[in-house]
Each structure stands twice: as C-alpha cells, then as structure tokens.
Amino acid sequence: MPHSAPNMFDRDLSWLSFNERVLQEAERSATPLLEKIKFLSIYSSNLDEFYRVRMPVLQALKKLSKKDNNTIQQQDNLLKRATETIYQQQEMFGTILKNIVLPQLKSHHIHFIYNQPIPKTLDNELSNYFLSNILAFIQPVEISNTDTYFFPNNNQLYFLVNAESKEKSTSYVINIPSNELSRFYETSYDGERYVFIIDDIIRKNLALLFKNKQVKGCYSFKITRNAEMELEDEYNIDIADLIEKQIQKRDLGLATRFLHEPGIPQSALFFLIQQLNLKHANVVQGGRYHNLKDLGDFPIKDANLSNEKWPKIAYPGFKKEITLHEQITEKDLLINPPYQSYDSILRFFNEAATDELTTEIYTTLYRVANNSKIVNALITAAKNGKKVTVLVELKARFDEANNIKWAKKMKAAGVEIIYSVTALKVHAKVALVKRKQGIRTQNTGLFATGNFNETTANFYTDHILMTTHKDMLRELELLFLFLARREKPSDPNLITFNHLLVAQFNLQFRFLGLIQREIEFARSGQPASLTIKLNNLEEEVMINKLYEAAKAGVNIQLIIRGICRLVPTKNISIRRIVDRYLEHGRIFLFHNNGNEEMFLGSADWMSRNIYRRIEVCFPIYNEAIKAELKKLLSIQLRDNMQAVYIDDEMNNIPVKEEGDLVQSQYAIYQYLKNKPQ
C-alpha cells in the first residue's frame, strides 16, 4: 500500500483505522447492547472531529502542492482513500445499527423507530409533543430569494423543506433543535417501549407548521466547519480575550463537509450549495439522520443490557488519623484511575488548600471538568492566604471556553494565572505543593499521564504518581518558574533536567539515547528490548529510531491506541486495545541489560508533542510501583479478547493466541482490587 513517507503509514488513514476498530467493538457479539450504541456514538463523534480538524489540513495540502504534479497526485489519492474509507465505515455503521442493534432492542420490547413510519397509535401523542415542546425552538428561514442570507451553524442539524401554495413554491431551512431538547423522545404503549428521533416528529408534523401549504420535499443536512483558530505567535494584550474572540469565530469557519441525506434531488442539492456558499465543501451523502454522536444520550437505561459495574477501588486505604501528605511522605503512591478512585487526587488538592503548613501551590490545567472540584480547591487555597500559581492552557481544543471561564474565576479569587505562549501548548500534567514547618520544608508533587479532571477520570485509564522525591520536585519547581516567564525555550540547556524528561529541553534527546542504549546491547549480543504504550505514534525521528533498533535485534512491543505511522516489521509488534475505558496512559519500559528503567508521562510521540508542547515524562524509582506497572503491561500484552494486532496493511487483526482468555481491563481491575494495601 502507498505510504506518506518511506516505511510509514499515513497518519490520517491510520486514525481512520482506529475509528474502524471502534465500530468493530459495536459489532462484537460480546459487547452488551447499550454499549454497542455507545460505541456507535463514539465513532460518529470521532468522525465529526476528523472533518473539523483533519479534513481542512488535507484540503490545504492539496492546494499548496499545485505546482508539483507528483504531490498533487499523492494528495488526490490520499483524499480519495480517506473518502472511500469513511464511506465503507458508514456503510458498516448502518449495517450494525439496522441488522444488529435494532433487532436486539426489539427483542427486549424496545422499539427504536429509525427510518420507519411512526405508529398511528402514537400519532396524537407525538403531535402534542411537537406543538407543546419542539415548536418553540423551530425557526424557519425562507431561502428561495437569492438575496436572503442564511449562515448554517457548525454541526447544527437542518431540514431543507420545499413547500407549495397556490401562488408559488418556496424553499425553507428549518433547524432541528437538538441543542435545546433531547434528540430522543421516549414513551410506552401497551407494554412496549418506544424511542423516537425528534427529526421524525418534526417531519411528521410539518403540515402544522406550514398551514395552507403542501410540503413537497424534506431533506436533512448539516455543515461541518474548520475548527482551527488563527493565533499569532506573540501578543501584547490579554491572550484570554483574543482566544474568546477566536472561539466565537470558529463556528464561522470555512465549511469542510456538506452532509446530506440520500434521495435529495440534484436541483435541490445544487440550490443549497449555491445559496449557502458551500462550493469548497466536501459533499458527502450520508444517511437519513446526522449527528449520531447523540446516541450517547440514548434514553434507555438497563443494567442488564450494559457493562457490569466495577465499583471504584479505594486506594490508598482511607486513614482519617493521618493526612494524605503523611502517607506520601512514607512512600510514593501510584493511583490508576478509573479502576482506583480519584478521591485521593481530590483530597491531595483539598488538604493542600486547608493545611496551615502549606505556603505555595503550583499546577497545570489542560482540560478542566465543567464543575471542577480541583479548581474550587485552588480558589479556596488562595482565599486561605496560600500563594497559588496555575498554568491554564487556553488552547486545549474544544475546551478553550471552559478553561477561560475557570481562569477568570481563579484570577478573581487571587490565584496567579499564567497562560502559555501562543506558539506552545503546555500539555504537562503536574502539580507541586510546598509546605514549611519552622525551618523545615517538605514538598509533595503529582506527576500524571492524564488531565486533572475528575470527570474524564471515570473513563480514561491513566496513572498518577504522588511523590516527595526531592530532586524531581526541585526540577519541577524550576520548570514552573520558567513557565511563569512566558518565553519559548531558546536553549535546551537553560535548565538541567537529570530526572524529568521535558519536551523543548531534553525529552526527545533522552528517549533517543535510551533506545540507542538498547541498540548497543543488542549489537554486543546482550538481551535488548523495550515496551512502549502510547495514544499516538507519528513523529518520524522516533519512528526511524525504532526501525533502527528493530534492525539491530531489539525486541520492541508497542501498544498504540490511535494513530500509528510505524509499519510493523521483524522484531516489532503493535497492539491496539479498545474496551469500556479509553486507554490513555503513556508508559516507557527499557530493559537496560536487566536493570530496567521505566518512565510515565503526558507525551505521545507526535510532532506536536515533541516540538510544539511542554510535556513532562517522569521516572519510576519505587521498585514496588515499577513492578505494579510491569504487571499491568504484561496483562495488556496477553489480551486476546479486546486487543488486535496492527498488520503491515494497517488492518486490525484479532489476537488469536493460545491459552486462557484475557480481557486486559477486567484482569487489571481484578488485580488492583485484590492487591494488598
């Protein structure tokens, strides 16, 4: 197959391969019925983001390569392959929904009315719901007149309605108010449960809206717009204000996809393209319904049709008589959400905010929960007289507005807010608490692979290290002091990091050195291996170094959830795991001739992480924690139920290894539940 660079998969096709794996999970017979619907929702949400973020890049690359015929051909082929892949996946989506999900729902006396006539017995009830609830939000806009200006909002659902009166034919655009109302309406009749999509309720009742007119056609569509924000490298004014303005402009971005239902007449399609200025959008025929990410809010709740509940594991065991700080002082602690409760992380910030010995708190915030308990603890700390410094990343895509909201609240409470320079995102997940008793200083820190966000901690698998390691925390303090200066690192040797691996300073250099060490062991006939778990593997320097290591005889085991541009070859295996939780932790294990070294961190091996972000990876020195993480890795490497191999054609190939069946997330949960405190 063609690759975007020698021996590398294309990043966008690889990402689409991951999304196909999500669809496969909806298709699997072992996946509970309501979980199948969730995976369909996740697939749809992922695809929307692809069109908002990646499709504009592909289209721009095509335009930039106008003078190079070979590059033009490559970009044309890539766009064609991506479009064909998406079409095939959407066909698969429809087949799963119609042939698996709908019949199984019906067998449980649940009728999901999907592309079917509305039962006459419920006609009056649905018309009443239309008149009393939906109609308040419907805003028809006549677009027959070429002078009419109408701008369809990003990812908003619409109908094109053609209506005739005795005098003339008129075209209208009608919004489907799924942002104001639930997308679904649930009711019961004669012992059966029914779920309707409000799109169908509107279609059925258009005559109540267009009185004295005859509806001749009704066709659904939506527009997806470019999500990128344009930010200059430096500003002399408040970056928060500028980003707020850019957020407002984002939904006014160029249309990248015009998605319409099948059967729309060509004349109506051409009319919409002209009237709504969609000439440069990718015109895609979809299904009758769009925004099926709304399936994530499917109204049926039934424990028998869902995953078995796994109660959160309390770790460390609650000890009322001593503080969490005192427990961390005794030994490093590792928290593994969502298996283990996030309460200890909340307690870390809460105790720091109220402890009279606390003098200073530093933390980074990338994606913040909507009702963040952590931010409220930081506000409390500031009001209690602590010096609180928070690096808020305002450029976290699709979370900018929420982060700005919290930044303003913290600033009003006396928290010192630092924003990253516009050319760099601070993606590191770190926190530092400084305590002082007399002349003695005792600091504690958090180093994490995922965001300090109690909401996503319920379904992202991550690892959070709580430590009092003096040298690591000193280096962390130096990093915070540097970030407060809001400068781009001009010299990677500006700060000497002997323990932490920090992007823009030493992260890539150190990782290349760790791989090179394994290469030297292999060349000298010593055992050499490395195991790496990432969300995405895309950066070419790191990939080429892995190829070099494999060629030298280093055994390389990779667990890559999403984008993987590396093509598996001799001595390299690649697994992908998709299950109830989103695999999010990053783990790096190097054999080192038996003296193993392990790191965790926030950084994937992507160009953006290595060259355009501040990332922190950190060593695991505690042998018990290292052994625990090795156990988790070994379980995932034995997964033969939820794991697939990525082959050299980028296919997801089920793992068919002999031995006991291993579902790694369940096995990890059982291991952590039974682990002694």
Side-chain angles (χ1 to χ4, degrees):
M1 66 173 289
H3 305 309
S4 63
N7 301 316
M8 293 188 197
F9 293 133
D10 175 78
R11 65 162 287 168
D12 294 298
L13 296 179
S14 176
W15 185 91
L16 290 172
S17 170
F18 157 67
N19 215 23
E20 179 181 309
R21 175 66 189 91
V22 174
L23 269 185
Q24 290 174 349
E25 199 58 24
E27 186 179 39
R28 286 179 70 244
S29 59
T31 304
L33 178 55
L34 294 181
E35 306 301 330
K36 292 178 185 290
I37 295 173
K38 286 181 184 177
F39 280 111
L40 292 177
S41 166
I42 293 167
Y43 169 84
S44 183
S45 178
N46 288 346
L47 187 59
D48 273 347
E49 183 170 342
F50 182 82
Y51 270 100
R52 291 200 74 186
V53 177
R54 290 304 305 170
M55 193 58 81
V57 175
L58 297 181
Q59 293 168 339
L61 287 173
K62 182 179 176 181
K63 291 178 182 177
L64 289 172
S65 57
K66 285 181 179 177
K67 297 181 181 179
D68 185 336
N69 289 332
N70 288 334
T71 306
I72 291 173
Q73 186 63 43
Q74 289 176 1
Q75 290 303 320
D76 280 341
N77 289 341
L78 176 56
L79 274 169
K80 183 179 178 182
R81 286 204 61 192
T83 302
E84 288 175 350
T85 299
I86 291 168
Y87 176 78
Q88 292 167 2
Q89 290 178 1
Q90 289 182 315
E91 290 290 301
M92 181 180 175
F93 183 105
T95 299
I96 293 168
L97 187 56
K98 294 170 187 175
N99 296 349
I100 298 176
V101 172
L102 294 181
Q104 288 188 20
L105 285 169
K106 191 173 182 179
S107 72
H108 291 280
H109 306 284
I110 301 166
H111 302 267
F112 182 21
I113 307 303
Y114 185 90
N115 207 6
Q116 303 168 44
I118 289 177
K120 291 184 178 180
T121 52
L122 293 170
D123 193 36
N124 283 341
E125 180 180 344
L126 297 183
S127 293
N128 180 57
Y129 182 70
F130 173 79
L131 291 170
S132 59
N133 290 273
I134 298 176
L135 191 57
F137 300 100
I138 291 183
Q139 301 163 356
V141 177
E142 182 182 344
I143 60 169
S144 302
N145 190 326
T146 54
D147 294 332
T148 302
Y149 177 75
F150 175 74
F151 188 88
N153 292 328
N154 176 65
N155 277 343
Q156 172 67 56
L157 301 174
Y158 296 100
F159 283 133
L160 170 67
V161 177
N162 295 325
E164 285 187 0
S165 64
K166 292 180 180 180
E167 295 78 22
K168 63 175 181 177
S169 296
T170 310
S171 295
Y172 299 89
V173 169
I174 295 178
N175 61 305
I176 300 172
S178 57
N179 292 335
E180 290 79 17
L181 298 170
S182 170
R183 187 77 185 281
F184 305 101
Y185 177 75
E186 179 190 1
T187 189
S188 298
Y189 181 80
D190 199 19
E192 303 285 298
R193 300 166 78 181
Y194 291 84
V195 177
F196 298 90
I197 304 177
I198 63 170
D199 312 30
D200 289 330
I201 299 175
I202 296 171
R203 285 181 193 262
K204 181 71 173 176
N205 291 280
L206 285 174
L208 299 176
L209 180 64
F210 296 105
K211 296 176 181 177
N212 304 318
K213 290 184 174 70
Q214 187 174 5
V215 175
K216 290 295 187 179
C218 178
Y219 313 102
S220 64
F221 71 94
K222 80 166 185 175
I223 309 300
T224 304
R225 298 189 180 278
N226 187 347
E228 287 302 302
M229 298 192 299
E230 296 180 3
L231 297 172
E232 299 296 332
D233 280 352
E234 297 294 341
Y235 291 116
N236 294 320
I237 57 178
D238 190 346
I239 187 176
D241 291 339
L242 286 163
I243 290 182
E244 278 191 296
K245 292 175 183 176
Q246 287 293 324
I247 292 169
Q248 293 167 5
K249 290 181 181 179
R250 178 160 60 193
D251 284 343
L252 306 179
L254 291 174
T256 58
R257 177 176 60 160
F258 170 32
L259 185 64
H260 63 84
E261 74 169 90
I264 184 172
Q266 284 298 311
S267 57
L269 192 62
F270 180 75
F271 174 74
L272 273 177
I273 291 172
Q274 294 297 315
Q275 284 293 94
L276 305 181
N277 192 25
L278 303 174
K279 303 179 198 63
H280 300 294
N282 191 16
V283 180
V284 178
Q285 176 176 292
R288 179 179 174 92
Y289 310 98
H290 314 308
N291 275 13
L292 289 176
K293 62 184 178 183
D294 291 340
L295 287 169
D297 297 318
F298 194 68
I300 300 297
K301 309 299 177 189
D302 188 332
N304 295 320
L305 304 178
S306 304
N307 282 327
E308 173 194 358
K309 297 294 183 184
W310 295 350
K312 297 286 192 294
I313 302 164
Y315 183 82
F318 179 70
K319 297 179 181 179
K320 186 177 180 180
E321 65 278 7
I322 64 171
T323 66
L324 184 60
H325 166 71
E326 290 170 323
Q327 293 184 65
I328 301 169
T329 302
E330 291 176 5
K331 64 175 183 179
D332 285 0
L333 298 174
L334 182 74
I335 312 300
N336 303 286
Y339 307 103
Q340 293 170 325
S341 171
Y342 204 69
D343 285 354
S344 55
I345 308 304
L346 300 178
R347 185 179 177 185
F348 177 92
F349 286 100
N350 291 342
E351 287 188 358
T354 56
D355 186 347
E356 62 181 12
L357 299 181
T358 300
T359 57
E360 300 177 48
I361 301 174
Y362 299 82
T363 190
T364 58
L365 293 177
Y366 190 77
R367 298 192 190 278
V368 181
N370 287 335
N371 297 301
S372 175
K373 296 176 182 176
I374 291 173
V375 172
N376 279 300
L378 296 170
I379 290 172
T380 297
K383 290 184 176 181
N384 285 341
K386 320 298 183 189
K387 179 185 176 184
V388 182
T389 304
V390 180
L391 190 297
V392 181
E393 180 48 75
L394 297 184
K395 302 183 294 297
R397 183 182 287 134
F398 305 131
D399 278 276
E400 300 96 342
N402 189 49
N403 286 2
I404 288 172
K405 176 193 78 173
W406 282 116
K408 288 182 175 180
K409 285 188 176 182
M410 286 189 287
K411 191 172 184 178
V415 175
E416 181 181 350
I417 300 297
I418 303 170
Y419 301 129
S420 65
V421 295
T422 54
L424 283 176
K425 282 186 180 180
V426 176
H427 191 248
K429 327 295 186 183
V430 289
L432 172 67
V433 174
K434 301 182 72 173
R435 289 177 173 83
K436 193 167 186 179
Q437 186 170 19
I439 61 172
R440 189 170 66 92
T441 299
Q442 179 66 72
N443 299 338
T444 51
L446 294 186
F447 295 88
T449 63
N451 296 305
F452 296 139
N453 184 318
E454 61 268 29
T455 300
T456 56
N458 287 315
F459 49 90
Y460 281 32
T461 71
D462 273 306
H463 312 286
I464 305 164
L465 178 70
M466 299 177 168
T467 185
T468 57
H469 192 285
K470 290 184 179 180
D471 292 335
M472 288 172 61
L473 296 182
R474 177 57 184 159
E475 291 183 5
L476 179 58
E477 184 176 5
L478 290 174
L479 178 61
F480 274 115
L481 292 174
F482 170 79
L483 293 175
R485 292 159 53 181
R486 297 196 71 246
E487 297 177 0
K488 288 179 64 176
S490 56
D491 180 0
N493 299 314
L494 187 64
I495 304 174
T496 301
F497 292 107
N498 295 316
H499 301 271
L500 303 183
L501 280 57
V502 182
Q504 310 309 312
F505 292 92
N506 68 337
L507 183 142
Q508 186 181 46
F509 176 79
R510 286 288 306 278
F511 274 134
L512 290 172
L514 291 164
I515 299 171
Q516 181 63 35
R517 187 174 63 188
E518 297 301 322
I519 292 172
E520 298 302 327
F521 283 130
R523 287 173 177 167
S524 65
Q526 303 298 316
S529 65
L530 57 90
T531 302
I532 297 174
K533 179 183 177 184
L534 296 166
N535 296 337
N536 300 295
L537 174 57
E538 172 264 349
E539 202 279 323
E540 293 188 9
V541 172
M542 303 308 301
I543 291 173
N544 283 323
K545 194 66 178 179
L546 291 174
Y547 284 147
E548 180 187 346
K551 189 174 181 180
V554 179
N555 180 40
I556 300 172
Q557 297 185 96
L558 303 176
I559 303 173
I560 312 294
R561 187 197 76 222
I563 296 167
C564 181
R565 292 190 61 206
L566 182 146
V567 180
T569 184
K570 183 180 179 182
N571 294 326
I572 301 179
S573 67
I574 310 172
R575 290 168 172 82
R576 170 180 281 150
I577 297 173
V578 174
D579 204 342
R580 67 165 65 186
Y581 298 141
L582 182 79
E583 294 291 337
H584 194 254
R586 291 92 167 180
I587 306 176
F588 311 86
L589 177 63
F590 301 90
H591 183 261
N592 192 25
N593 200 26
N595 185 23
E596 293 175 319
E597 282 197 71
M598 177 180 282
F599 297 83
L600 307 180
S602 61
D604 285 320
W605 284 0
M606 296 187 73
S607 297
R608 67 188 187 192
N609 301 92
I610 291 173
Y611 303 118
R612 299 190 298 278
R613 291 184 174 183
I614 296 290
E615 306 276 4
V616 173
C617 292
F618 49 95
I620 299 299
Y621 292 133
N622 183 286
E623 291 300 323
I625 291 177
K626 187 186 295 185
E628 178 179 310
L629 287 162
K630 284 180 60 181
K631 178 67 175 180
L632 303 190
L633 277 176
S634 71
I635 291 172
Q636 295 208 307
L637 292 170
R638 290 187 290 112
D639 191 322
N640 53 14
M641 294 179 68
Q642 300 298 134
V644 296
Y645 284 118
I646 301 174
D647 72 4
D648 59 4
E649 292 293 320
M650 209 161 46
N651 298 309
N652 296 300
I653 306 299
V655 174
K656 295 182 179 178
E657 297 180 355
E658 296 182 0
D660 296 336
L661 294 177
V662 178
Q663 181 182 0
S664 59
Q665 291 190 356
Y666 176 75
I668 287 171
Y669 177 72
Q670 293 298 323
Y671 165 73
L672 293 174
K673 186 172 72 170
N674 296 318
K675 185 189 75 165
Q677 289 278 349

